[in-house]
Amino acid sequence: MPSLRLEKVSKHFGGLKAVDDVTMVVPPGEITGLIGPNGAGKSTVVNMISGVLALTHGDILLGDQSIATDRADIVARKGVGRTFQNIRLLAEATVLENVMLGFHRRETAGVPASLLGLPAAIREDRKFRDKAHKLLARFRLDEFANMEAGNLAYGHQRRVEMARAIASEPDIVLLDEPVAGMNDVESEELATIFRELAASGMGLLLIEHNVGFVTRLCRNVYVLDSGRMIASGDPQTVIRDPKVVAAYIGTSVQ
Ligand SMILES: Nc1ncnc2c1ncn2[C@@H]1O[C@H](COP(=O)(O)OP(=O)(O)O)[C@@H](O)[C@H]1O
Ligand SMILES: [Mg+2]
């Protein structure tokens, strides 16, 4: 499984250096943290990796291949999945359908075949349905399979988004504040899933406001502040770094 690497990546919005000269690695098989106060540039990093925003400077590599100028659909096809800080589901489609959309990357039957309802496509559809149900079970969403996604509680919608993001079995998955708005029980359930995904070889980039959650889960943590990478390394060392403490003054580090 490939590593994801950012090399001296910057994103400027006019005069604002939202991300400035950032270098980081997301290795396979582990959870890497990205923390920092609001406005630090975390979501901008995810948007650049996933091809939603163009880079101003620098390079992004998946394995030894640059993906810096690839469109979002190409980045996804190459094996980088993501969730959004602001949930993006098809509100009127069912939970099951939303998750099935995530299989798109690995779909083998062409669209016309599906439309004609040819046996191969039907079989494949059934296979995908079974797989989608398994994913729903993993995220404890089975009972909501046929509900419209828009009618779910916020925490459940986040889980649907995650199930969809990993449906295509990406090598790397970028999780932008996945446990925001969840209680401790729900967060710990997700922590278990994240650990399992890492154990299966996936590389996870976990963006989170809850520093305690990140320090428990990550082997390596990066800290952004005003677009600059101010610290990185072992979580227990990083959260005691005076630069990191200073960046979080007025917010809560626990
Ligand atoms: N599309 C955009 N246009 C202009 N400024 C932006 C845009 N997206 C983000 N920013 C600015 O870039 C900075 C970093 O934002 P963001 O990456 O969302 O931070 P974080 O996710 O760490 O809270 C903020 O000052 C934000 O206002
Ligand atoms: Mg953000």
Side-chain angles (χ1 to χ4, degrees):
M1 295 251 202
S3 285
L4 176 76
R5 299 152 55 80
L6 277 69
E7 290 182 355
K8 295 178 168 296
V9 168
S10 299
K11 179 66 189 181
H12 301 170
F13 294 111
L16 173 73
K17 294 179 174 177
V19 173
D20 192 18
D21 206 28
V22 161
T23 293
M24 59 186 290
V25 183
V26 182
E30 65 183 79
I31 308 170
T32 300
L34 178 59
I35 62 173
N38 262 331
K42 306 181 297 295
S43 292
T44 302
V45 164
V46 168
N47 287 333
M48 284 190 283
I49 298 169
S50 58
V52 172
L53 281 175
L55 284 65
T56 307
H57 299 296
D59 203 0
I60 300 177
L61 300 141
L62 184 63
D64 55 10
Q65 198 186 16
S66 176
I67 56 165
T69 57
D70 288 342
R71 288 194 326 249
D73 56 319
I74 307 289
V75 175
R77 202 177 308 152
K78 286 181 176 173
V80 181
R82 70 167 293 179
T83 63
F84 290 86
Q85 186 170 356
N86 303 309
I87 297 170
R88 295 191 190 177
L89 293 173
L90 293 180
E92 276 146 42
T94 67
V95 168
L96 187 73
E97 287 162 348
N98 269 282
V99 171
M100 288 184 71
L101 282 173
F103 293 131
H104 188 66
R105 177 188 164 216
R106 294 272 161 93
E107 198 172 2
T108 51
V111 173
S114 306
L115 287 177
L116 290 169
L118 296 176
I122 292 170
R123 269 204 305 279
E124 189 153 85
D125 193 63
R126 227 179 253 151
K127 188 184 79 194
F128 283 142
R129 255 166 214 283
D130 290 346
K131 229 177 133 189
H133 277 293
K134 287 203 181 97
L135 269 169
L136 291 179
R138 183 170 204 183
F139 283 92
R140 294 177 199 256
L141 290 164
D142 5 11
E143 62 188 293
F144 307 110
N146 297 315
M147 250 176 88
E148 283 185 15
N151 291 337
L152 287 184
Y154 181 78
H156 288 98
Q157 292 197 23
R158 283 219 158 276
R159 287 196 252 164
V160 177
E161 241 209 344
M162 278 179 255
R164 184 175 65 183
I166 65 162
S168 64
E169 295 165 20
D171 295 326
I172 302 282
V173 68
L174 316 169
L175 302 166
D176 197 352
E177 303 203 15
V179 299
M182 290 189 184
N183 64 37
D184 288 351
V185 175
E186 290 175 314
S187 302
E188 283 315 308
E189 281 173 10
L190 282 175
T192 302
I193 295 173
F194 296 161
R195 286 194 186 96
E196 288 168 5
L197 292 174
S200 77
M202 204 178 274
L204 284 74
L205 181 64
L206 174 65
I207 294 182
E208 196 38 66
H209 218 69
N210 181 336
V211 176
F213 188 76
V214 172
T215 53
R216 281 199 299 284
L217 277 175
C218 299
R219 183 173 301 171
N220 197 28
V221 173
Y222 291 91
V223 188
L224 267 182
D225 184 33
S226 303
R228 306 278 308 184
M229 196 66 86
I230 58 167
S232 68
D234 152 68
Q236 293 305 330
T237 311
V238 159
I239 60 168
R240 287 177 180 79
D241 185 319
K243 291 193 294 294
V244 176
V245 175
Y248 272 97
I249 283 175
T251 69
S252 57
V253 191
Q254 67 279 71

